[in-house]
Amino acid sequence: MINLRVRRAAVAAFATLALGFGATGCGTGSESTKTDGPPTGEIRVLSNWSGPEAEAFGAMVEGFEAKYPDVSVKVDSVPFDQTQSVLTQQFAAGSPPDAAVALPGMVRQLSKQGLLMEVNSLWDEWIKNGEYNDSLRAIAAGAEDKTEAVYVKGNVNGLIWHTTAKAKSLGLTAPPATWSELTATLDKYKATGQAPFSVGAKDVWVPTQWMDPILLNVAGEEKFNQLARGEIGWDDADIAKGVKVLADMIRNYWPKNALDTGFSDETCGWVTGKNAFANNGAFVNGIVPSCDSKLKPGTDYSFFTLPAFEGTEKPAQAVSGDLFVGAKKSKNPVATMAFLEYLGSVDAQTIWAKKGGYIAPNMKVPASVYPTPNDKAAAELWPKDAAGRAGYDLDDWIGGELQSKYRNALVELVRSQDADAFIETMKTADTRSNG
């Protein structure tokens, strides 16, 4: 995010305004509920994007209104960090938005309460047409095997960013093919007296970006997804091994001041050559110009993915992304369903993909729409066929209070590099696998 990862500044006034929507009940059409026929009337949707993201979503909305000129879409915006509380209160008050942005943890919470519109028919058709696959559908699933969310935009994580000049100075003419080749490159740079990685762990979401690709590498996709769904605990042998590999990476290759460095400084750290690498998502491509506007993506800077860990097969791709849900009690279900279908379509997602920095989750969006070589290369990593495998951002999948405990435990892991202590902390905090 910059919803996907770069957190937006929370503006309290917007949150206060949003909480008032439940009382006013505005924007949900007439009192009678239309259940068939072509989409007409008004729908109210809730988003949490700002800046270029809000502009891109606005362009999507305009595309929908052009396709369905008899429908008007009212967009209410709230700060990212207030999304869950605002949605919870509006649903509780009986006046939810017709459609809203939501991460998987929130989708499952609302689904368990029976509050969401089912979109199984959309997914059945999309998978039949090769636009999505079962791995992606599982991420958008609600409770009891119902699919109640659609993708709006995506991101791929676990990308090791570097400048071309720095890679050349290290003799890195091709991406490391093995884990030992990777660590040899890191050791070579460490020998210069500088930490190989630039890390902005002061922003607490940054360490979460490391856990996902390493667990997928070391423990594998099946164990990763079992952990995400609470089917196994953090003391599972393969999961514990992944945590220890991360602890070793922190100990050996992170800067000592990681917890005092923010994400912006992390990016500029490798862009300006202080460090050799950074690990983060595809959206970094759009952040680099703020550090050095002269650098050209794909020519002056690019990325490679983490190689498979010793003795393991090629890992599943770490992904993240924003979902949209519809309210089961929408006063305009026909237009709401049409809106959800449009958001997941090739046409809608092409609009956002052209902006750069993000990935269109619909697998039929052509590579030609992406504006830079780095964007195209990142898009190629998104699951592209029925066999494509993915593990969704563990941090945003967990959600709620457990997400906060997980982040705090990761901060302590950065501080101490004590993998066993982290595992014990998470065993206590995450009791989902206890039955």
Side-chain angles (χ1 to χ4, degrees), residues 325-341:
V325 296
K328 189 174 184 179
K329 293 187 177 180
S330 166
K331 293 182 180 178
N332 194 343
V334 174
T336 299
M337 181 64 79
F339 185 67
L340 295 176
E341 181 177 15

Side-chain angles (χ1 to χ4, degrees), residues 10-19 77 79:
V11 183
F14 283 107
T16 302
L17 177 63
L19 291 173
S77 296

Side-chain angles (χ1 to χ4, degrees), residues 194-195 197-203 250 253-263 265-266 269 274-275 414-415 417:
Q194 293 287 344
F197 283 103
S198 183
V199 183
K202 183 177 181 180
D203 290 312
I250 296 170
Y253 303 123
W254 282 30
K256 301 301 180 184
N257 67 340
L259 289 172
D260 298 318
T261 303
F263 169 72
D265 289 333
E266 169 191 305
K274 179 180 178 181
N275 307 97
V414 175
R415 185 176 288 115
Q417 296 100 57

Side-chain angles (χ1 to χ4, degrees), residues 35-320:
T35 58
D36 55 18
T40 60
E42 182 178 271
I43 58 172
R44 179 170 65 87
V45 304
L46 187 73
S47 80
N48 55 18
W49 296 302
S50 61
E53 289 184 302
E55 293 173 9
F57 181 64
M60 273 182 155
V61 170
E62 289 174 2
F64 173 77
E65 291 179 327
K67 183 174 183 178
Y68 297 105
D70 293 329
V71 181
S72 174
V73 179
K74 182 179 186 299
V75 179
D76 296 330
S77 296
V78 296
F80 173 79
D81 292 339
Q82 300 296 322
T83 308
Q84 183 162 328
S85 61
V86 169
L87 269 180
T88 299
Q89 292 194 37
Q90 291 192 14
F91 271 101
S95 57
D98 295 288
V101 66
L103 294 172
M106 191 63 186
V107 172
R108 296 194 309 278
Q109 177 183 323
L110 295 172
S111 175
K112 288 176 182 177
Q113 299 173 53
L115 298 173
L116 299 181
M117 179 182 290
E118 282 195 36
V119 289
N120 285 323
S121 60
L122 296 182
W123 276 92
D124 290 344
E125 191 67 20
W126 285 333
I127 289 178
K128 178 182 177 182
N129 294 338
E131 296 176 74
Y132 296 89
N133 64 15
D134 289 331
S135 179
L136 295 172
R137 183 174 190 163
I139 293 167
E144 301 175 358
D145 297 323
K146 294 181 291 186
T147 315
E148 296 175 318
V150 303
Y151 283 96
V152 183
K153 65 184 180 73
N155 190 44
V156 290
N157 301 328
L159 309 183
I160 309 302
W161 292 89
H162 59 86
T163 63
T164 304
K166 186 64 70 176
K168 185 177 180 180
S169 72
L170 290 168
L172 193 63
T173 58
T178 65
W179 196 265
S180 59
E181 286 184 16
L182 172 65
T183 55
T185 300
L186 298 177
D187 287 335
K188 184 176 182 178
Y189 191 74
K190 185 179 178 181
T192 68
Q194 293 287 344
F197 283 103
S198 183
V199 183
K202 183 177 181 180
D203 290 312
V204 294
W205 57 267
V206 169
T208 73
Q209 294 284 281
W210 282 80
M211 184 66 85
D212 298 343
I214 287 180
L215 284 184
L216 281 164
N217 258 318
V218 178
E221 176 197 13
E222 183 177 357
K223 286 290 183 74
F224 179 91
N225 285 320
Q226 286 176 339
L227 176 69
R229 288 156 177 76
E231 296 167 4
I232 60 174
W234 288 87
D235 56 348
D236 174 88
D238 293 321
I239 297 298
K241 182 179 179 181
V243 173
K244 290 175 182 177
V245 169
L246 174 55
D248 287 342
M249 293 290 286
I250 296 170
R251 183 182 303 109
N252 294 323
Y253 303 123
W254 282 30
K256 301 301 180 184
N257 67 340
L259 289 172
D260 298 318
T261 303
F263 169 72
S264 295
D265 289 333
E266 169 191 305
T267 304
C268 293
W270 67 268
V271 169
T272 59
K274 179 180 178 181
N275 307 97
F277 306 106
N279 166 43
N280 228 304
F283 62 86
V284 167
N285 193 54
I287 309 299
V288 170
S290 67
C291 303
D292 187 341
S293 60
K294 299 186 297 295
L295 296 185
K296 296 180 180 179
T299 301
D300 298 321
Y301 68 97
S302 58
F303 63 83
F304 58 84
T305 57
L306 284 173
F309 189 70
E310 301 159 358
T312 63
E313 61 180 5
K314 181 181 178 181
Q317 178 61 49
V319 303
S320 55

Side-chain angles (χ1 to χ4, degrees), residues 130-131 345-356 358-372 375-380 382 384:
E131 296 176 74
S345 71
V346 171
D347 288 346
Q349 292 183 13
T350 294
I351 293 171
W352 205 314
K354 285 181 177 179
K355 306 288 185 182
Y358 296 94
I359 309 303
N362 190 307
M363 298 189 295
K364 293 292 188 180
V365 173
S368 60
V369 307
Y370 292 95
T372 75
D375 288 311
K376 287 181 173 66
E380 285 301 314
W382 187 266
K384 289 293 181 183

